Amino acid sequence: MLSGSACSGPRGSDPAVSESTAEVTVQSSSSATAEVSCSGANDIACEARCKLGVSQACFSLGLALTHGTVASRDYARAAQLFEGACGSGDMRACVELGRRLSTFRGGARGYHRAAELFEKACDKGIAAGCGELGNARLRGRAGVGDPSSARALLEKGCSGADAQSCAWLATMYFLGDGVAEDEAKAISILERSCDGGGAVACDTLGSNIDKGADIFVDMPRAVRLYEKACAAEPTACTNLATAFARGHGVILDRAKAFELNDRACRAGSMFGCDRAALALRRGWGTPALPRRAAEYYADACLDGALAACVSLASIVDETGEGKVALDATRLELRDICQAGRPVACSVVDEMSATKSTLERDREAAAKHEQKCSDGNAGACISAGHAYLDGKGVAVDVARFTSLTSRACELGDLRGCAKWSWALSVGLGVEADQAKALQLGKQACDGGVHHGCNGLGWQYANGKGVAKDVKKAAELYEKGCPVERSSCSNLAKFHLSGALGARNVDRAIEYQEKACHEANTGCFNLANMLLWEADRDHARAQALLKEICSAPVSSANELKTEVACARYAWLSKKMVAKPD
């Protein structure tokens, strides 16, 4: 495993890493004693003070071990230090201990103890404890999920200047999760926290603006927010790295992207580890080093980036490198499985099936590429997606763009639509909005729904053409319902009032069309039915049950966890409701 590079955290922040810096200065109980900083060469002095019973020193050393600012990261020992400091009355240590117990390694039983610690800290006035307890209740950890209680706790944490609480609260309003969707309110919450120095709020604001919060994408502003937050918030570095990797709002620079992801990984972001691993695997902005990539994947996997577990098995099958990391990871996953996290059991099975799946994917990719060479446009598209998804071949977005452009040139308008998308976002090629617009129009006019959706996105965001929301809506109408993302985009327009008056009924109508086989569209529909003017709770309950009942995998764990918590909460509420 990596020395000083374990990775953990949900969107917006890492639950095991506080926003305070790892280099924490502690004051001795004696006023005549100099301050001690728990990092680098000073960790020995800090440890000595901890052994003398100075709980602040134990807390600070625990943070240093969590962040890896001492010799190497050691989560188990950090947890022991937090346990001791918490027992001595340091509520900050109670919060950090709860964060450790809430990670993937903590097992199902860890959630209950963590909730008790967060509540204890919250009752003592620690804002972060209120926020962490609110997030636990929102997700249904340690009992039935309770969105109303979660919101109240997050509001309490946010009003106490805990930026993570503000980020989680704003995300509830962005997603309409536990409340009616209100992007303006979400943005206001984040802007206040960001202006007050909350790095995680700046990052969350940037990531939502990046994805089109308040309808339109504003990459230059998102990049500025990521840059502001990166020094204190690892996830902001990974978001900034993505901008450099794709040339979004900045000049494309893969070496810079790797540097940022590597930095984020060493600061505790599982996403940074996963993305740095991919760069090391493919030689993007750094020499290709498969064994080192495997170590990064192992760290990301064990901290909860479960898709990285499958990537770890895949790289060992593909290169023969990293077997030691793979074997150690499988053993630890089995322990986590036995500790009460069923998804760990599923992931072990996914990893075991990787080799046979990889062989089938290799054969299919080779067959499609050969047919493409022979002039089969459909095969070019299939081969392109293999390169985009890394199925049987190394991920290569430039090759995806090349193959889909060949399909277009061979007369397949589906290839034109995909080529248009690649050009509009700069995927594997320099962005060219004018060419993307031309190809998108060609595909849309020819009946390719995906082309209409991409063209609509360009009009909605003013990419290569003046912004025109009404024109975008017309194009999304042509894409929906075959292209479900077009339906979701229309639902968003109606819910936000982008087309005039806010129209919840129309939003729900379009979100129904986006819902298919327990996908994200169904989850969003359930939220609308729950929180928009007290809609159809029975239908929401049925949707949540379907999502909760879907097999848990590395790709859907978080959505399934939240859906199950919301289903349990809603079922309890409906039973308790008088006739």
Side-chain angles (χ1 to χ4, degrees), residues 520-537:
T520 301
C522 297
F523 185 75
N524 292 338
L525 174 60
N527 278 330
M528 283 187 190
L529 293 169
L530 273 176
W531 310 116
E532 293 294 342
D534 199 30
R535 300 282 164 163
D536 188 345
H537 286 193

Side-chain angles (χ1 to χ4, degrees), residues 89 274 415 426 461 537 547:
D274 186 41
N461 290 282
H537 286 193
I547 298 167

